[in-house]
């Protein structure tokens, strides 16, 4: 069995942490639009890493469209009227707690159960009749305002030991850090929908309020699906962005 070099894993985690910090500084305006970032030598010294590790972090946020390089000059924050720190990247997996580090994120549990799913959920998650799932409905609340209404099915044989305490904090931290599972990607469909009775109760809206729904199946790196969910929000509280980098 192939083993991961612990030093390599530590370096990988470090450049991801640096990328997160650089994103935060850009979102908070510490690095303003059109402003040049500190040079890589200075940043590498600040974070206590090699220039190679720092470069990986820079490359990561450059691919996301947050910065650009001027040859022989430096690295600048991209000026974009569309970009907003409240937006969610369409390919984001970090979770709300990390997306909004300076805000208070809470969860209200509406339903938490373990059951044998319907044929449709079995098909989406590639399950047999005898394989149970956790079924979870929760309202995500940011700064005491309703934000997202989630309806999620987790494969119980993969996402083990799920508790209310974990649900109130971060399920994805539990999946990554406690269970050691590697998230490989997701198929996501984003569309508009009419509001329903549960939306009226939990999202502070009425029957005339349009809803944005994200439906997804999330996979591990080996291609095994472990989650099917829908996330619903009012049309005026959330939007999604995607950066398309054209390779020359």
């Amino acid at each position: 069995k192939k083993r991961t070099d612990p030093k390599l894993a530590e370096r990988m985690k470090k450049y991801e942490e640096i990328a997160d910090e650089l994103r935060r500084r850009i979102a908070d305006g510490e690095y303003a639009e059109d402003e040049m970032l500190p040079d890589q030598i200075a940043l590498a010294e600040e974070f206590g890493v090699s220039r190679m590790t720092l470069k990986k972090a820079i490359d990561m946020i450059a691919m996301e469209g947050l910065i650009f390089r001027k040859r022989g000059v430096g690295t600048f924050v991209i000026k974009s009227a569309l970009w907003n720190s409240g937006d969610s990247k369409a390919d984001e997996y970090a979770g709300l707690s990390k997306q909004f580090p300076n805000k208070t994120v809470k969860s209200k549990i509406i339903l938490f159960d373990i059951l044998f799913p319907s044929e449709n959920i079995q098909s989406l998650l590639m399950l047999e009749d005898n394989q149970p799932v956790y079924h979870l409905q929760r309202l995500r609340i940011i700064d005491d305002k309703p934000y997202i209404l989630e309806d999620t099915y987790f494969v119980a044989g993969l996402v083990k030991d799920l508790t209310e305490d974990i649900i109130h904090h971060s399920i994805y931290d539990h999946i990554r850090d406690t269970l050691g599972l590697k998230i490989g990607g997701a198929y996501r469909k984003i569309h508009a929908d009419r509001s329903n009775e549960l939306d009226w109760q939990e999202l502070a809206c009425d029957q005339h309020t349009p809803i944005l729904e994200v439906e997804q199946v999330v996979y591990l790196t080996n291609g095994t699906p472990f989650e099917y969910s829908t996330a619903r929000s009012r049309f005026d509280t959330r939007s999604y962005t995607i950066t398309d980098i054209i390779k020359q």
Side-chain angles (χ1 to χ4, degrees), residues 124-177:
L124 290 166
L125 293 175
M126 301 172 61
L127 297 176
E128 302 294 334
D129 292 344
N130 61 349
Q131 291 180 280
V133 296
Y134 288 109
H135 182 204
L136 167 66
Q137 288 180 328
R138 63 176 177 169
L139 176 67
R140 310 305 303 281
I141 302 165
I142 295 183
D143 287 347
D144 296 322
K145 295 180 180 179
Y147 190 61
I148 300 175
L149 185 58
E150 298 176 343
D151 190 354
T152 309
Y153 296 86
F154 289 110
V155 177
L158 294 173
V159 185
K160 299 177 181 179
D161 304 324
L162 197 57
T163 65
E164 289 194 6
D165 183 62
I166 292 168
I167 292 168
H168 278 298
H169 293 87
S170 174
I171 296 174
Y172 270 35
D173 279 354
H174 174 68
I175 290 170
R176 285 187 299 254
D177 302 336

Side-chain angles (χ1 to χ4, degrees), residues 13-211:
K13 184 177 180 181
K14 190 64 179 178
Y15 79 71
E16 290 171 351
E17 290 175 354
I18 294 170
D20 283 343
E21 174 61 17
L22 295 177
R23 291 188 196 98
R24 184 198 64 77
R25 293 180 185 183
I26 293 170
D28 291 350
E30 293 181 29
Y31 298 149
E33 292 181 350
D34 278 348
E35 178 183 332
M36 186 168 70
L37 268 62
D39 65 71
Q40 292 191 17
I41 295 176
L43 285 173
E45 290 179 354
E46 176 189 349
F47 290 111
V49 297
S50 67
R51 287 190 64 185
M52 179 179 295
T53 299
L54 191 282
K55 183 178 181 300
K56 287 182 178 179
I58 293 289
D59 289 344
M60 182 178 290
I61 63 172
M63 286 298 297
E64 294 171 3
L66 299 182
I67 59 175
F68 70 99
R69 298 179 179 88
K70 289 183 180 178
R71 187 179 297 275
V73 179
T75 304
F76 293 79
V77 178
I78 287 179
K79 183 176 181 179
S80 172
L82 289 176
W83 194 78
N84 186 299
S85 61
D87 291 338
S88 300
K89 297 194 294 295
D91 58 352
E92 191 271 332
Y93 298 93
L96 292 183
S97 299
K98 291 184 179 178
Q99 184 183 346
F100 298 103
N102 300 318
K103 296 182 181 292
T104 302
V105 180
K106 299 178 181 178
S107 295
K108 171 188 172 183
I109 299 175
I110 301 169
L111 172 70
F112 179 39
D113 199 3
I114 187 165
L115 49 79
F116 295 107
S118 66
E119 289 185 4
N120 180 51
I121 302 300
Q122 287 179 31
S123 176
L124 290 166
L125 293 175
M126 301 172 61
L127 297 176
E128 302 294 334
D129 292 344
N130 61 349
Q131 291 180 280
V133 296
Y134 288 109
H135 182 204
L136 167 66
Q137 288 180 328
R138 63 176 177 169
L139 176 67
R140 310 305 303 281
I141 302 165
I142 295 183
D143 287 347
D144 296 322
K145 295 180 180 179
Y147 190 61
I148 300 175
L149 185 58
E150 298 176 343
D151 190 354
T152 309
Y153 296 86
F154 289 110
V155 177
L158 294 173
V159 185
K160 299 177 181 179
D161 304 324
L162 197 57
T163 65
E164 289 194 6
D165 183 62
I166 292 168
I167 292 168
H168 278 298
H169 293 87
S170 174
I171 296 174
Y172 270 35
D173 279 354
H174 174 68
I175 290 170
R176 285 187 299 254
D177 302 336
T178 305
L179 300 178
L181 299 177
K182 303 295 184 182
I183 300 172
Y187 172 79
R188 285 181 173 144
K189 179 169 66 176
I190 303 175
H191 60 94
D193 194 12
R194 294 185 177 91
S195 59
N196 58 39
E197 289 189 14
L198 189 57
D199 299 327
W200 307 341
Q201 294 172 19
E202 304 294 345
L203 293 176
C205 65
D206 58 34
Q207 59 184 339
H208 302 295
T209 307
I211 295 295

